[in-house]
Amino acid sequence: MSTPTASGGEARLALGAGILCYLIWGFVPLAMQAIGGLGVGATEILAHRIVWSVPTALLFVLGARQLPQVLDVLRRPKVLAWLALSSVLIALNWIVFIWAVNSGRLLETSLGYYINPLVNMAAGALLFRERIDRIGKAAMGLAGVGVVVQAAALGHLPFVSLALALSFGGYGVVRKQVAADAQTGLFVECLLLGLPSLAFIAWVQSQGTGHFDDSFATVAWLIAAGPITAVPLVLFAWAARRMPLSAMGFLQFMAPTISFMIGLTQGEPFTPLRAVSFGFIWLGAAVFCYGAWRRSRSVAAAEKVVQAAAAAE
């Protein structure tokens, strides 16, 4: 299956959307920690993220005039099945992330999102016939060494990192299979997850263990979790359908770098062995970026040759 690409102005918009979504994701840990600091548990935060994403996603659908497309998707079992799978993957990613950032494991989440671009690259090669050259293989090898060293530093496999990388990498792959625009897909995902999430919120509130009515700050943060969640996902899904997975992976190095710096400033343990692990990961990222730069130069040179030939005619 070929990878959808864009050209001209749409390609520049896709690049801008990708950059913005990863910038937002880089600072999302601070929002999740703020909510967790108010005493809200990871499962309840997840439920509110989903429920309050529904009206936000609906606004995107209405703004893009895609309500007829939503109704069409709801009548297509195959598309619904793909979106149900992507919903499960993103919910898994969210719950692991929320728990990790509120458990002093922000550096582990950072490692996971450094690994994710290489998962994307492998998926691009296996599923979308994107060729991995020697530079890409070297980047993946260095990252693999980094994961092994991280396991030695932690005393076990970096389960948080691997769960985040694989779940979000899988989400990106599945969303590329969905024959629906970004806004439509996200809204349907939120609907699929929204009903059980709303039922869970109602249950914990009825048991007196919910936190939605604790304070104005709690209400404000939980409602804000909706747009904080939905906006970057719309940007990501829109860009992912117009860019190669490898290019999206290149941009994703922005988010874990921001999260890594936040983790360091918050005093998370950073032992020499963990430093060696991240050193391998960063070296792999640098090699990956070098390969992406070389490919972009080759493409630009080829385009100039084509333009020159067309002008000569």
Side-chain angles (χ1 to χ4, degrees):
M1 181 177 293
S2 61
T3 303
T5 56
S7 59
E10 190 174 60
R12 288 190 291 273
L13 285 174
L15 177 62
I19 290 172
L20 182 56
C21 85
Y22 286 122
L23 278 175
I24 295 171
W25 274 328
F27 289 102
V28 162
L30 294 177
M32 297 301 103
Q33 288 176 343
I35 301 173
L38 294 169
V40 187
T43 306
E44 190 176 359
I45 295 174
L46 173 65
H48 279 282
R49 283 190 78 172
I50 292 167
V51 166
W52 296 109
S53 292
V54 173
T56 308
L58 178 59
L59 288 176
F60 280 113
V61 166
L62 295 176
R65 298 180 180 178
Q66 291 178 0
L67 195 55
Q69 188 180 118
V70 170
L71 298 175
D72 180 60
V73 166
L74 293 175
R75 291 191 293 263
R76 297 166 64 188
K78 184 176 179 180
V79 177
L80 274 178
W82 278 116
L83 288 172
L85 178 57
S86 66
S87 299
V88 171
L89 289 169
I90 199 61
L92 173 63
N93 183 271
W94 287 344
I95 190 65
V96 172
F97 177 79
I98 294 166
W99 174 82
V101 300
N102 283 299
S103 303
R105 298 171 181 266
L106 193 48
L107 293 183
E108 290 184 53
T109 71
S110 175
L111 178 68
Y113 289 120
Y114 274 121
I115 298 170
N116 182 232
L118 303 176
V119 171
N120 286 343
M121 185 164 60
L126 292 172
L127 302 176
F128 303 112
R129 300 178 184 176
E130 296 176 6
R131 188 174 65 88
I132 300 179
D133 56 17
R134 285 180 296 177
I135 293 176
K137 292 175 181 177
M140 294 175 68
L142 289 166
V145 173
V147 171
V148 172
V149 176
Q150 183 78 186
L154 295 172
H156 56 78
L157 282 174
F159 296 112
V160 168
S161 306
L162 293 174
L164 290 174
L166 293 174
S167 60
F168 197 71
Y171 176 77
V173 169
V174 171
R175 282 306 303 264
K176 289 179 77 70
Q177 311 306 308
V178 177
D181 289 331
Q183 298 91 328
T184 295
L186 175 61
F187 180 61
V188 175
E189 285 174 339
C190 291
L191 284 179
L192 292 172
L193 295 171
L195 289 177
S197 298
L198 186 60
F200 173 79
I201 292 170
W203 180 74
V204 295
Q205 288 295 134
S206 69
Q207 297 297 306
T209 56
H211 295 80
F212 187 62
D213 55 355
D214 280 2
S215 66
F216 174 79
T218 305
V219 172
W221 270 114
L222 289 173
I223 293 176
I228 288 172
T229 298
V231 170
L233 271 174
V234 168
L235 294 171
F236 169 80
W238 190 86
R241 287 180 61 81
R242 291 160 177 81
M243 296 174 65
L245 279 173
S246 54
M248 288 298 290
F250 172 79
L251 292 180
Q252 185 164 345
F253 290 125
M254 297 167 57
T257 300
I258 296 170
S259 298
F260 176 83
M261 296 306 298
I262 294 172
L264 284 187
T265 59
Q266 292 180 348
E268 288 192 19
F270 192 61
T271 63
L273 197 55
R274 293 192 83 177
V276 171
S277 168
F278 273 95
F280 276 104
I281 296 294
W282 291 331
L283 184 57
V287 171
F288 182 93
C289 292
Y290 171 70
W293 175 76
R294 281 209 337 172
R295 286 191 296 273
S296 68
R297 284 179 61 87
S298 298
V299 171
E303 287 179 349
K304 287 182 180 179
V305 171
V306 171
Q307 291 171 358
E313 294 176 358

